[in-house]
């Protein structure tokens, strides 16, 4: 396989005469690496997705150093890839590679495990240390002088052996280190990113997946999910656990068990009369979210300053109850002298282990929930994989599938789940046996390939032995039947059977491989793979990128290849912990971009189905429909290709705010009045329903002006002081000015577009977004309104979306500036009634967005834009007495009116 079209010679400073032309992104990476070398930077790394040719980039740059090269890789599959690339370089007269730890040549490729030892007792939990072979390698490197070390999948290596790897690099002396990884910095945790910087430095080049797909460097792809409920046996076991959980919560919320019951404590801490909410939301967001979810479900009063978001509208789970219980234990029970509270603590300590938690010196800590183990290894997921494979093979005769599992064979089960699942549940062997037994799949010769076992149905085993013989690995091979009907091929080792199985999948003699992520999910190269079925539980950025990367490579034999990657997720809707597998699914797709059913390239589970939320699984009654829709999407590769064809190769992620009137209030919104069958249109300012007028509060300004003027006159007639008269005159003038403004521009209620234009104008004026940035607004078929920015720089849409959400959302307790909006309301303005006036001018207060509330200058800039697009007064600083009182009065309120609550979510699209 070549690395794709590009330039015939490498860039300046890189190795010339490579055996293939460089692609654009490879050339850019080589130029960045060469520049770093010229600057004397000895530790750098690059991030390129699987299939983007990072092995060739690392090898070319390392060989160009003129030093001896040592390449460290995570497993034997990746080692084989490096040996293959090195052989192609050797064909042009470059150095040949060996796998000898004695370093007999100037290019050596070793697995990191070859250098690592454990304690003398073989304890796997003992800290890793250099083995005798590793010590010899390090001594040889020191003797021979400066080396260039290449760390392939460096992010993965650091995660496993960070301290030892740093020790090796420090002892190696003056050594150039080149890190290669498929994991972009954006998918690393803060700790992982800090570790990378500490050991290898900063990245000098990185390329995301969407631009490479748009340029044709990677195959177009789609991400889909198969939703399933646990099996009947598993459901019965889960029902027992659910009963135990319900009994625990019933006990926990019994007010008689303590001097202050848990719910009473929560009301005291965060209820209507409490002032502790702002502190909690700032210092403990997990606890704050738990409080809001319980309040939204009706178990607690809603804290008066609280702001509900998408996450806190989800149903509360066991972890939310335990977060409240942790606070109750720490701040109430433990500090009490009441004997009931001491008894409650002991009872809590006794009950928590049954829910896979414990109460220790520092509070409630989680263990490994048995419910999550059952869901992760549910046999329903294996059966879902069979349905996916069968449907895929029937729809596409050229399909080649890779099914990845966490473990190869039986894994020892903890006693608490022994009755729920079998030892083979979730294993690659179990999936392979189900595939082999299904007549829809068995003719595709499914093969099981793991580090300790290669097997399949009789026909597949025979073809494998035949293929191995053709590759020179067939001597001494035999077969033995296993108790699940599979035939095990014996007489060889993993490198040989991986090579033979790869040849079978590439030729089409086998169309389905089942294996483990450890062996086939990282570094293994088979361009014919058209899809991955992910049954694993790993959610790290490395695991996700590597797993999906198996299908993203372009296939020279099939230029129109489209990859279809599946995840399988088990949800127990009747259990408080039944969404654990869903939460794993969410973590897998966080930051990973793919097309949704409308063709938009979005991240998170929204690309699986735009109806999905990252905060709660869909209801079980939608599973069948969602699965059917996913199968239909998989059968239309043309739509997938067209979705990616519209991607800008030079683009970047762009945040957007998606807004709909809240459920049950679709016909009462202050900005948009929408009934289910209404047709939407633009009137130049916002969305309207043709033929339906907006409210026109223009007379209210005049009413207020007249009322204040009359008030001033009465003050004068009553003998008021000149100062009072001046004050009343100023008030009348201010009201008249506002009335004039409203008479010109407030003939309609401000729309969401007006707020968005205000935010954009202020951000542009403050230099926080580029001058060409424009408001991008879309209307979805269901009336959802989507706001973002076009022609803006990276990250600027995120700033805009956050600012807009703060302006139209409930006023937060931390707002530094407030700004008012006048609207028509019922009743009269002020204490004086003026005959003939039927309305009043009321004030609504909005928060000035945080990014523009950092200074008075920025707040005034926002106020100027507000006056132009919305109408209102000056920004009021809440750090002084008047502003603080105002904030206390309006925090937590919806500035658009409680009867017109809007629901919005934030999404990211490419």
């Amino acid at each position: 396989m070549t690395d794709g079209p590009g330039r015939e010679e490498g860039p300046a400073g890189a190795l010339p005469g490579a055996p293939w032309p460089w692609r654009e992104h490879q050339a850019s990476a080589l130029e960045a690496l060469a520049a770093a070398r010229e600057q004397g930077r000895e530790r750098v790394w690059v991030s390129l997705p699987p299939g983007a040719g990072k092995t060739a980039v690392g090898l070319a740059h390392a060989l160009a150093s003129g030093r001896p090269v040592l390449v460290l890789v995570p497993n034997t599959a990746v080692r084989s890839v490096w040996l293959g690339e090195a052989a192609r370089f050797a064909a042009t007269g470059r150095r040949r590679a060996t796998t000898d730890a004695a370093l007999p040549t100037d290019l050596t490729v070793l697995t990191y495990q070859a250098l690592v030892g454990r304690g003398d007792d073989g304890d796997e939990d003992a800290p890793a240390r250099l083995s005798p072979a590793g010590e010899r390698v390090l001594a040889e490197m020191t003797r021979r002088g400066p080396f260039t070390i290449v760390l392939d999948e460096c992010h993965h290596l650091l995660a496993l052996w960070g301290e030892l790897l740093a020790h090796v690099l420090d002892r190696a002396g003056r050594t150039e280190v080149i890190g290669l990884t498929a994991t972009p910095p954006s998918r690393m945790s803060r700790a992982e990113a800090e570790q990378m910087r500490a050991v290898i430095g900063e990245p000098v080049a990185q390329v995301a997946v969407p631009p490479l797909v748009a340029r044709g460097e990677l195959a177009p792809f789609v991400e889909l999910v198969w939703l399933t409920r646990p099996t009947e046996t598993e459901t019965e076991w889960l029902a027992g656990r659910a009963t135990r959980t319900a009994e625990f919560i019933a006990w926990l919320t019994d007010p008689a068990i303590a001097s202050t019951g848990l719910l009473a404590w929560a009301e005291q801490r965060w209820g209507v009369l409490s002032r502790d909410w702002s502190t909690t939301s700032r210092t403990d967001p997990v606890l704050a979210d738990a409080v809001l979810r319980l309040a939204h479900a009706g178990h607690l009063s809603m804290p008066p300053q609280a702001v509900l978001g998408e996450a806190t509208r989800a149903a509360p789970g066991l972890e939310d109850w335990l977060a409240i219980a942790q606070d109750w234990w720490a701040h109430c029970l433990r500090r009490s002298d009441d004997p009931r509270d001491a008894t409650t603590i002991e009872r809590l300590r006794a009950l928590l282990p049954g829910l896979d938690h414990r109460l220790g010196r520092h509070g409630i800590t989680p263990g490994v929930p048995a419910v999550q183990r059952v869901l992760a290894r549910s046999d329903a997921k294996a059966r879902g994989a069979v349905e996916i494979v069968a449907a895929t093979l029937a729809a596409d005769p050229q399909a080649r599938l890779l099914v990845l599992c966490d473990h190869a064979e039986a894994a020892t089960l903890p006693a608490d789940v022994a009755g729920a699942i079998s030892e083979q549940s979730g294993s690659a062997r179990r999936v392979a046996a189900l595939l082999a037994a299904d007549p829809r799949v068995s003719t595709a010769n499914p093969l099981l390939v793991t580090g300790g076992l290669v097997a399949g149905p009789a026909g597949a085993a025979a073809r494998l032995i035949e293929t191995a013989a053709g590759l020179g690995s067939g001597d001494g091979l035999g077969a033995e039947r296993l108790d699940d009907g599979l035939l095990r091929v014996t007489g060889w080792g993993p490198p040989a059977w991986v090579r033979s199985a790869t040849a079978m999948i590439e030729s089409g003699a086998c169309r389905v491989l089942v294996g483990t992520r450890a062996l086939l999910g990282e570094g293994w190269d088979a361009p014919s793979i058209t899809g991955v079925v992910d049954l694993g539980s790993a959610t790290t950025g490395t695991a996700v990128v590597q797993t999906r990367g198996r299908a993203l490579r372009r296939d020279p034999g099939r230029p129109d290849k489209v990859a279809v990657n599946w995840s399988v997720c088990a949800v127990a809707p009747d259990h408080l912990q039944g969404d654990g597998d869903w939460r794993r699914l969410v973590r897998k797709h966080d930051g990973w971009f793919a097309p949704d059913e409308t063709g938009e390239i979005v991240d998170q589970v929204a690309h699986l189905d735009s109806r999905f939320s990252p905060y709660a699984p869909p209801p079980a009654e939608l599973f069948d429909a969602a699965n059917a829709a996913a199968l239909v999407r998989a059968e239309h590769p043309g739509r997938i290709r067209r979705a990616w064809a519209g991607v800008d190769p030079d683009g970047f992620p762009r945040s957007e705010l998606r807004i709909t009137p809240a459920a049950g209030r679709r016909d009462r919104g202050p900005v948009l009045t929408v009934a289910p069958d209404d047709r939407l249109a633009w009137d130049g300012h916002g969305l309207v329903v043709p033929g339906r007028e907006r409210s026109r509060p223009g007379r209210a300004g005049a009413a207020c002006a007249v009322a204040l003027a009359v008030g001033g006159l009465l003050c004068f007639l009553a003998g008021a002081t000149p100062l009072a008269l001046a004050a009343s005159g100023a008030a009348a003038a201010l009201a008249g000015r506002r009335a004039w403004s409203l008479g010109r521009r407030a003939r309609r209620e401000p729309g969401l577009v007006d707020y968005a234009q205000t935010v954009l104008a202020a951000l542009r004026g403050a230099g926080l977004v580029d001058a060409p940035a424009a408001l991008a607004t879309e209307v979805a078929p269901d009336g959802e309104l989507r706001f973002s920015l076009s022609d803006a720089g990276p990250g600027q849409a995120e700033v805009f979306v956050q600012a807009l959400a703060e302006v139209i959302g409930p006023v937060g307790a931390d707002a530094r500036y407030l700004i008012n909006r006048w609207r028509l309301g019922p009743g009269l303005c002020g204490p004086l009634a003026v005959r003939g006036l039927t309305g009043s001018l009321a004030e609504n207060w909005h928060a000035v967005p945080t990014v523009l509330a950092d200074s008075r200058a920025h707040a005034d800039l926002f106020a100027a834009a507000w006056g132009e697009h919305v109408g209102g007064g000056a920004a009021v600083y809440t750090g002084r007495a008047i502003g603080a009182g105002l904030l206390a009065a309006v925090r937590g309120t919806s500035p658009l009116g409680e009867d017109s609550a809007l629901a919005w979510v934030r999404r990211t699209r490419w």
Side-chain angles (χ1 to χ4, degrees):
M1 175 185 174
T2 63
D3 273 13
R7 302 192 312 204
E8 291 295 340
E9 296 294 330
L15 184 71
W20 53 77
W22 294 112
R23 291 180 273 175
E24 179 182 344
H25 65 276
Q26 290 177 304
S28 297
L30 285 167
E31 288 170 352
L33 287 167
R37 180 176 282 162
E38 291 174 0
Q39 296 165 6
R41 297 170 61 183
E42 293 187 334
R43 296 191 181 187
V44 295
W45 57 284
V46 299
S47 171
L48 297 177
K54 69 178 183 298
T55 302
V57 168
L59 184 59
H61 184 66
L63 293 179
S65 70
R67 297 175 173 182
V69 177
L70 172 64
V71 181
L72 296 178
V73 298
N75 57 45
T76 56
V78 180
R79 185 182 66 185
S80 297
V81 173
W82 275 88
L83 294 175
E85 294 288 76
R88 295 167 64 200
F89 268 101
T92 66
R94 305 298 167 184
R95 290 170 280 181
R96 294 185 180 275
T98 69
T99 58
D100 189 341
L103 310 183
T105 69
D106 284 342
L107 177 57
T108 305
V109 184
L110 301 175
T111 62
Y112 201 79
Q113 292 91 326
L115 308 182
V116 176
R118 297 285 178 179
D120 295 336
D121 58 359
D123 181 7
E124 288 297 320
D125 294 327
R129 61 173 179 79
L130 278 179
S131 65
E135 292 286 357
R136 289 194 297 271
V137 168
L138 193 55
E140 182 65 12
M141 290 175 59
T142 304
R143 184 187 68 80
R144 291 174 59 180
F147 260 68
T148 291
I149 298 180
V150 181
L151 303 176
D152 196 11
E153 298 307 336
C154 56
H155 173 225
H156 180 63
L157 295 178
L158 283 175
L160 294 177
W161 301 292
E163 292 185 8
L164 180 58
L165 186 57
H167 173 68
V168 169
L169 298 180
D170 290 341
R171 284 185 57 187
R174 189 172 177 80
T175 299
E176 182 184 37
V177 180
I178 305 166
L180 306 173
T181 181
T183 305
S186 61
R187 290 191 60 83
M188 296 180 186
S189 67
R190 177 179 297 179
E192 291 166 340
E194 290 176 352
Q195 189 179 43
M196 290 286 284
R197 283 193 294 269
V199 179
I200 314 180
E202 298 291 338
V204 297
Q206 54 182 301
V207 180
V209 167
L212 294 184
V213 178
R215 295 188 184 112
E217 308 285 3
L218 297 177
F221 68 94
V222 68
E223 294 285 338
L224 302 172
V225 65
W226 184 274
L227 298 170
T228 183
R229 299 184 69 156
T231 67
E232 184 176 347
T233 300
E234 294 161 357
T235 299
E236 290 177 0
W237 181 90
L238 288 167
R241 298 286 297 205
T243 300
R244 183 188 304 178
T245 303
E247 291 172 347
F248 170 78
I249 292 176
W251 170 81
L252 190 67
T253 55
D254 183 351
I257 65 173
S259 58
T260 303
L262 178 134
L263 294 179
W265 167 257
E267 288 290 346
Q268 291 177 17
R269 286 271 276 166
W270 305 291
V272 175
L273 301 179
S274 170
R275 296 183 178 273
D276 198 34
W277 179 251
S278 60
T279 301
T280 301
S281 60
R282 183 177 63 255
T283 60
D284 195 340
V286 172
L287 176 60
D289 283 354
V291 172
L292 292 184
R293 279 191 282 269
L294 264 65
H296 184 61
H299 299 291
L300 299 173
S301 300
M302 186 65 66
Q305 310 96 322
V307 177
L308 277 178
E310 183 183 6
T312 49
R313 293 189 188 101
L318 176 62
E319 297 301 326
D320 295 315
W321 286 104
L322 293 181
I324 305 294
Q326 162 70 23
D327 186 84
W328 181 49
W329 169 82
H331 299 286
C332 178
L333 300 181
R334 196 169 57 160
R335 300 179 180 181
S336 171
D337 295 329
D338 193 306
R340 287 179 297 171
D341 295 338
T343 301
T344 298
I345 290 176
E346 292 308 312
R347 180 64 175 161
L348 190 62
R349 182 174 286 112
L351 291 176
L352 282 174
L355 302 175
D356 305 303
H357 289 70
R358 62 183 295 271
L359 178 61
R361 294 177 55 190
H362 302 291
I364 299 172
T365 56
V368 180
V371 172
Q372 307 314 326
R373 285 195 292 265
V374 170
L375 293 174
R377 294 177 55 177
S378 171
D379 203 50
K381 295 176 67 173
R383 297 181 184 278
V386 173
E387 295 304 315
I388 293 169
V389 171
T392 302
L393 296 178
D396 182 6
Q398 299 185 66
R400 308 284 191 275
L401 294 176
L402 173 64
V403 183
L404 291 177
C405 304
D406 283 333
H407 56 277
E409 294 189 79
T412 302
L413 293 175
D416 56 354
V417 299
I421 55 178
S422 70
E423 290 186 345
Q424 290 291 356
S425 289
S427 70
R429 180 171 169 179
R430 171 60 175 166
V431 176
L434 289 174
L435 290 171
D438 193 305
R440 298 172 297 172
V441 179
S442 57
T443 55
N445 288 329
L447 277 176
L448 170 65
V449 181
T450 71
L453 175 66
V454 58
R463 291 293 299 271
L464 184 63
I465 293 174
E466 179 183 333
T467 301
L471 296 174
S473 304
D475 294 343
L477 294 185
E480 61 181 21
R481 185 167 296 278
L482 303 176
D483 57 9
D484 52 12
L486 296 175
L487 279 181
R488 175 177 185 171
V489 181
T490 60
W492 57 359
W497 65 50
V498 169
R499 184 167 61 250
S500 300
T502 302
M504 280 187 66
I505 198 83
E506 291 289 274
S507 69
C510 163
R511 296 176 61 195
V512 184
L513 280 183
V514 183
T516 59
R517 185 173 55 84
L519 184 66
L520 300 181
E522 183 175 354
W524 178 66
D525 188 5
S528 66
I529 292 294
T530 60
V532 174
V533 181
D534 182 9
L535 295 175
S537 58
T539 61
T540 63
T542 297
V544 172
V545 173
Q546 287 289 352
T547 296
R548 278 138 184 81
R550 299 315 98 207
L552 299 190
R553 286 169 167 78
R554 297 303 299 263
D555 185 357
R558 190 178 179 182
D560 63 344
K561 167 184 164 179
V562 169
V564 179
N565 291 328
W566 287 86
S567 300
V568 184
C569 179
V571 178
D574 300 323
H575 198 290
L576 279 181
Q577 294 175 289
D579 64 344
D581 212 36
W582 177 264
R583 285 187 273 119
R584 276 192 291 268
L585 179 77
V586 169
R587 292 193 294 273
K588 287 181 180 181
H589 290 267
D590 184 21
W592 183 256
F593 286 87
D596 65 10
E597 70 272 18
T598 69
E600 294 182 353
I601 309 299
V602 297
D603 81 334
Q604 264 290 355
V605 292
H607 58 230
L608 302 172
D609 189 309
S610 60
R611 298 170 295 180
F612 290 172
S613 167
Y615 303 108
E621 56 267 23
L622 293 182
F623 286 8
D624 290 343
N627 292 343
L631 289 174
V632 170
R633 290 180 65 190
E635 294 173 358
H636 290 83
R639 296 178 185 174
I640 300 169
R641 280 192 290 267
R642 286 193 295 273
W644 284 106
V647 173
D648 180 4
D650 298 318
F652 46 80
R654 187 180 74 182
S655 295
E656 65 181 15
L657 197 67
R658 300 185 175 188
I659 306 173
T660 59
R665 299 181 177 181
R666 298 187 65 87
D667 59 348
R668 302 176 64 184
V671 176
L672 181 61
T673 304
V674 183
D677 297 329
D678 282 338
R679 179 174 58 86
L680 301 177
W682 292 96
D683 70 349
H685 300 281
L687 286 171
V688 297
V689 178
R692 187 175 305 166
E693 293 186 1
R694 296 178 181 270
S695 59
R696 297 178 178 272
R699 293 185 179 181
C704 191
V706 172
L708 289 177
V710 171
L713 178 61
L714 291 178
C715 289
F716 174 75
L717 295 177
T721 64
L723 181 61
L725 182 60
S728 65
L734 177 61
R737 178 181 176 185
R738 290 180 175 177
W740 178 261
S741 173
L742 286 167
R744 288 190 303 112
R745 89 170 48 90
R747 293 184 179 180
R748 59 179 179 82
E749 281 287 306
L752 290 174
V753 174
D754 298 301
Y755 298 117
Q757 292 285 15
T758 298
V759 172
L760 175 57
L763 292 175
R764 189 187 288 132
L768 297 174
V769 301
D770 296 337
L775 181 64
T777 310
E778 297 180 27
V779 185
D782 63 353
E784 180 183 72
L785 190 58
R786 301 174 180 180
F787 287 103
S788 187
L789 294 184
S790 61
D791 301 322
Q796 294 179 3
E798 172 70 20
V799 175
F800 165 79
V801 163
Q802 175 63 29
L804 178 58
E806 292 179 14
V807 168
I808 65 176
V811 177
D814 298 327
R816 294 190 73 236
Y817 286 91
L818 299 173
I819 194 164
N820 67 342
R821 170 178 64 86
W822 296 90
R823 65 178 176 85
L824 182 66
L828 298 176
C829 180
L832 298 176
V834 179
R835 182 174 296 179
L837 297 180
T838 59
S840 68
L841 196 63
E843 284 183 306
N844 279 32
W845 289 90
H846 298 248
V848 174
T850 302
V851 71
L852 291 165
D854 59 338
S855 67
R856 165 55 70 176
H858 279 169
D860 289 343
L861 191 66
F862 180 82
W866 185 264
E868 177 66 25
H869 295 281
V870 176
V876 177
Y877 179 52
T878 62
R880 295 196 176 96
I882 294 178
L886 179 61
L887 177 60
V890 303
R891 63 186 179 187
T893 62
S894 172
L896 301 182
E898 295 303 328
D899 287 339
S900 57
L902 298 174
W904 62 80
V905 297
R906 295 171 61 173
R907 295 289 183 259
T908 306
R909 61 194 290 190
W910 198 275

